[in-house]
Amino acid sequence: FQEIADELLREGALLQVRSADELGDATAALLLDERRRDELAARAREIVLKNRGACGRTAEQLAALVA
């Protein structure tokens, strides 16, 4: 999970907050900024699509190693 969170953060698809107050501020800001919400969503979508099928590819590689 940490790897995914790191990639989302690195690619600007995730907001990281360190307190309840920051969470409230970030939520309020996103509610008021449709463009920013759309940017975050688009970046996250790109990452999901890029990694689609990763579990299957990993399983295939592992199966090849034990065969």
Side-chain angles (χ1 to χ4, degrees):
F1 180 80
Q2 186 63 52
E3 211 174 294
I4 295 167
D6 290 343
E7 183 175 3
L8 290 166
L9 190 58
R10 187 176 52 253
E11 297 297 326
L14 175 73
L15 296 178
Q16 187 172 29
V17 298
R18 300 184 196 291
S19 69
D21 286 338
E22 284 186 21
L23 177 59
D25 292 344
T27 301
L30 285 173
L31 287 172
L32 296 172
D33 191 345
E34 182 178 4
R35 181 175 162 200
R36 182 73 175 124
R37 289 193 313 267
D38 290 345
E39 288 172 357
L40 285 168
R43 289 178 182 155
R45 192 175 303 109
E46 287 176 20
I47 292 167
V48 168
L49 292 175
K50 179 179 77 172
N51 289 295
R52 180 175 259 166
C55 288
R57 290 189 300 275
T58 301
E60 288 172 5
Q61 291 174 352
L62 290 172
L65 289 173
V66 273

